Structure formats: C-alpha cells, structure tokens
Amino acid sequence: MQKAIMVKSFKSRSRPLLKALLISILVSNTLLGNNKKKWIVATEADYPPFSYTENGNIRGYNQAIVHEIAETMQFELEVQIGPWNEIRSKLEAGKIDAIVGMYYSPERDKLVDFSPPIFVINHAVFSRAGVPPLKEESDLKGKKVCVMEGDIMHDYMRKHYPDTKLLFCDTIKEGLEKLENGEFDYVVMARIPSHYWVSKLNLHKVQESPFLIRPSRYCLAVQEGNTDFLSLLEEGLTTIEFNGKMMVIRNQWLSPLETHIFDLKTVFHWALLTIGPLVLLLGMILIWSILLRKRVAQKTSELEESREHYKITLQSIGDAVITTDSNGRVTGLNPVAEALTQWETEEALGHPLGEVFNIVNALTGKGVENPVEKVLSTGYIVGI
C-alpha cells in the first residue's frame, strides 16, 4: 500500500530555500489490520476414542480432526472439554462457537446448524450376562433401559419407544459399569466408545446384542445462524477428506475399535451420508473458485489501469510528490520532487523518507522532526 506525500514549495526573495511544507499521507484503513478471530470449540469428556483427557491434555479423534481443519484453513483455535449437557448448553447460549462431535437429528437441527458428518456411528444394545438377550430392536418395548441423559439415544428411545422405562447415566463408562454390577439390565450406547470401555475396564459380564440401532451422523455443530464458522469448517472438512488426512486420523483413532456387525446396509448409509454431501460441497467450492478467479482477473485489470492513471497523474502534478510504503520508505518521486530534493527516483528507492526529504527550519537552520511517523501512527494529515 503506497502513500502520497505532497510537498508545496514557497520561494523566499532572499534565497531559494524551502520555507514551508504541507505533507499529506493517505493511509488505508486496512493497514490497521484486524486480528484473526479465535474460534472456541468444545468436545465431550469421557467419550473415547473420540474425546477424552490424558495427563491433562485433550486427546482423541475429535480434537485431531478439528486441529487438522484449523491448520488447513489457518485459523486460531481454542478447544475445551466438558460434560455433554454442559457443552451443549454453552453452544446454545453462544458461549462457544461449535461442538466437535454432535449427533444430527431434525429436532436438534432447529437449535443448531450441522456440518456434514465427520463419522457415522452405530448404536447398540448391551445387556448383562444372565439376562434374556434381545433378538431385535422391537424387543426393547416395555423394558427398563439405561441411556445417557441428553444423548441422541435418549431422544430416539423417547420418540420410538414411549412405553419403555428409561434410566439415566451421565457417561458411557458409568452406564456400562452399572450394567456390569447389576444395576441395569440393558443399556443403549454408541458402539465404538462402548467397545473401548468394555476393553479398558475388563467388563466380562457385558455382552452386545446381535443387531444395530440406526446409524447416526456424528457432526460438527455451530450455533444457529453462524454461517461464517460453519462455512470455514465445511471447507476444511472437505479438504482433509480429499487430501487423505481424514482417513489417516480415522485409522489412527478408530480402526482398532471398528468391529463386527457392519453390514452392507450400514456401509451404504455411511457412503450416502458422508461422501455424498462432501462431493456436493466440493462441486460448489470449485464453481465458487472459478467465479472468484474471473473476478480477481477483472479486478487486477482494473487495478493496472488505475495504477497507470495514478502514475501519469503524479508525473503531471505541478507540486512535488513523494510516494512511500507503509514503513515510510520511498517508492517514487515525481519530476518536481526530484528537482526539490536533488534525488533521482532510482537512487531514492528504498531510502527512509527522512533521508530523501530533509526538513529544515528556515529561521534556525536546524532539522525539524519529520511528521511522517505521526501520520503513519494516527492516519491524520499533519501540517508543518
């Protein structure tokens, strides 16, 4: 960004010295700059391998995904972790910008906006050894079933099995431990986190029923109407999907726990719900990119024409004009300025303005403080 410094000379009868000068520097508001916004996201505690803490650090698939998106899209990020109901309340109250890992449902979509899924998770029924096993989902009718309070399965069971008595736990770990200890007969939980805790806690009495409950889209969720951050997340998600980084993260965190009961119907659901929206989004991004290139080419041409006009105008002005960059270093002089300063443009380029344009008090002959620094710091015209 260049500034124009206009120098007007006034000749004295006694000697051809420069007595007074008027300096005007045009400073673009963009020089002030805007700090990049720090986006604050949260993820659920005690939900391994998706999100959990280890030695005080947030770990898991969710934080790996969102950090990769932030690095790809080059935005500053703060990740928090907490109980599910707590982070959900924070999002709806606008205290955080997004949740990394929230199951989609039409009811929730009325309160928050969702990205395409970062994973599709199946839920399953777990029972305790010795309790009559369930053969199909409809066997849940009339049973006492534990779910996580506020979880997607809480909503699902309440909607589809209103005659089922629901019991509640705060985390999957708590629910499975109570199932092992005989406090519950059945729990309905996400499969992958459940497999993690069954293995981690050596829960030998916990067994999985031979059917799955619908696949659920596990997404990034932003506050309703926050289209700026949602667009940023979706573009980053599409990018890491197609450059292979998302698959690397998935293999690192999830592959060891992705086990049996994964039929063709589930594969089709996953492909349809995950790849389809991403392909559509990529197409939209490509169209936007083409239009943007055309717009940039048009603006570049207009800028070149404007720059040439600007150059001709400066060369023809009867007053002395010196142009500088934002650091006050000379980028050009018109012929009148060359004559007044005794500097040619080529030798003056890159020199501090104070060297090329030395201001002297006409009465004392002493140097005067160069007002350029004041102009650069304040953006206002300074007269001397």
Side-chain angles (χ1 to χ4, degrees):
M1 182 66 66
Q2 292 191 347
K3 293 109 184 130
I5 301 174
M6 180 171 288
V7 182
K8 289 190 176 181
S9 63
F10 301 85
K11 293 183 179 180
S12 168
R13 291 183 179 181
S14 59
R15 55 179 178 171
L17 295 177
L18 192 62
K19 286 188 173 182
L21 302 151
L22 177 63
I23 299 177
S24 171
I25 297 183
L26 307 177
V27 181
S28 170
N29 289 335
T30 56
L31 291 175
L32 300 177
N34 292 316
N35 293 328
K36 289 184 178 179
K37 174 179 174 60
K38 177 191 285 186
W39 297 101
I40 302 174
V41 304
T43 190
E44 183 178 356
D46 294 326
Y47 206 70
F50 293 96
S51 55
Y52 61 100
T53 55
E54 184 176 79
N55 299 323
N57 298 315
I58 301 174
R59 303 273 291 161
Y61 177 79
N62 292 358
Q63 69 86 26
I65 288 290
V66 76
H67 274 292
E68 190 62 47
I69 291 174
E71 183 175 339
T72 298
M73 301 306 296
Q74 299 183 345
F75 61 81
E76 191 174 357
L77 181 71
E78 177 184 327
V79 182
Q80 301 177 358
I81 193 167
W84 169 246
N85 286 326
E86 178 183 307
I87 64 173
R88 183 174 176 179
S89 297
K90 281 186 175 181
L91 179 64
E92 293 175 1
K95 295 181 179 179
I96 58 175
D97 298 301
I99 288 177
V100 186
M102 184 174 186
Y103 292 110
Y104 171 86
S105 73
E107 293 76 18
R108 290 179 173 185
D109 195 31
K110 297 175 183 178
L111 302 174
V112 298
D113 289 334
F114 287 92
S115 74
I118 59 175
F119 198 65
V120 176
I121 300 178
N122 287 292
H123 290 74
V125 178
F126 295 87
S127 60
R128 189 179 69 259
V131 173
L134 304 182
K135 296 181 180 180
E136 56 186 30
E137 183 181 321
S138 60
D139 292 340
L140 288 168
K141 293 179 180 179
K143 300 291 192 300
K144 293 181 180 179
V145 179
C146 174
V147 295
M148 280 181 56
E149 188 171 8
D151 183 61
I152 192 69
M153 284 296 103
H154 183 182
D155 301 337
Y156 182 82
M157 293 295 296
R158 186 170 50 189
K159 179 178 180 180
H160 295 279
Y161 299 99
D163 57 343
T164 297
K165 179 175 177 56
L166 296 180
L167 307 171
F168 300 105
C169 60
D170 292 325
T171 65
I172 290 179
K173 177 185 176 184
E174 178 192 347
L176 292 172
E177 285 180 322
K178 290 185 175 181
L179 179 67
E180 174 87 357
N181 296 330
E183 296 183 45
F184 304 138
D185 291 334
Y186 304 99
V187 298
V188 179
M189 304 286 184
R191 291 184 70 244
I192 291 179
S194 296
H195 290 172
Y196 176 93
W197 285 119
V198 168
S199 174
K200 180 81 171 177
L201 302 174
N202 295 316
L203 303 178
H204 301 295
K205 297 180 182 179
V206 174
Q207 57 188 14
E208 183 178 352
S209 298
F211 60 89
L212 297 177
I213 296 180
R214 66 161 199 178
S216 298
R217 285 176 277 178
Y218 195 56
C219 308
L220 306 168
V222 303
Q223 191 177 26
E224 181 76 16
N226 190 353
T227 55
D228 289 343
F229 194 29
L230 183 61
S231 298
L232 201 63
L233 293 173
E234 288 180 340
E235 185 176 347
L237 186 59
T238 302
T239 302
I240 67 172
E241 169 72 19
F242 282 90
N243 66 19
K245 291 184 178 180
M246 188 171 182
M247 183 58 68
V248 172
I249 295 172
R250 175 177 171 176
N251 290 338
Q252 176 186 356
W253 290 101
L254 305 181
S255 289
L257 294 169
E258 292 183 84
T259 56
H260 57 286
I261 318 182
F262 200 75
D263 55 23
L264 291 177
K265 183 178 179 181
T266 303
V267 173
F268 176 76
H269 271 289
W270 184 88
L272 182 63
L273 296 176
T274 303
I275 299 177
L278 291 176
V279 170
L280 178 61
L281 182 60
L282 179 63
M284 294 173 64
I285 291 173
L286 289 175
I287 294 172
W288 174 81
S289 179
I290 292 171
L291 294 175
L292 180 62
R293 287 195 190 99
K294 291 182 178 179
R295 184 64 175 165
V296 169
Q298 178 185 351
K299 286 296 182 182
T300 301
S301 176
E302 293 175 358
L303 181 61
E304 289 297 331
E305 293 179 6
S306 175
R307 185 177 297 170
E308 186 63 25
H309 177 72
Y310 168 73
K311 181 178 178 181
I312 293 172
T313 301
L314 288 183
Q315 295 296 318
S316 62
I317 289 177
D319 296 310
V321 179
I322 303 173
T323 60
T324 73
D325 61 19
S326 60
N327 295 316
R329 293 187 176 275
V330 174
T331 60
L333 295 84
N334 74 344
V336 180
E338 288 181 342
L340 286 174
T341 63
Q342 300 300 305
W343 283 74
E344 294 184 1
T345 299
E346 290 186 0
E347 64 177 345
L349 294 179
H351 284 269
L353 180 63
E355 293 182 13
V356 177
F357 177 44
N358 187 22
I359 307 172
V360 178
N361 187 299
L363 298 178
T364 65
K366 296 182 179 181
V368 177
E369 179 185 2
N370 197 311
V372 173
E373 293 184 359
K374 293 182 180 179
V375 177
L376 289 173
S377 63
T378 64
Y380 295 107
I381 296 174
V382 176
I384 60 172

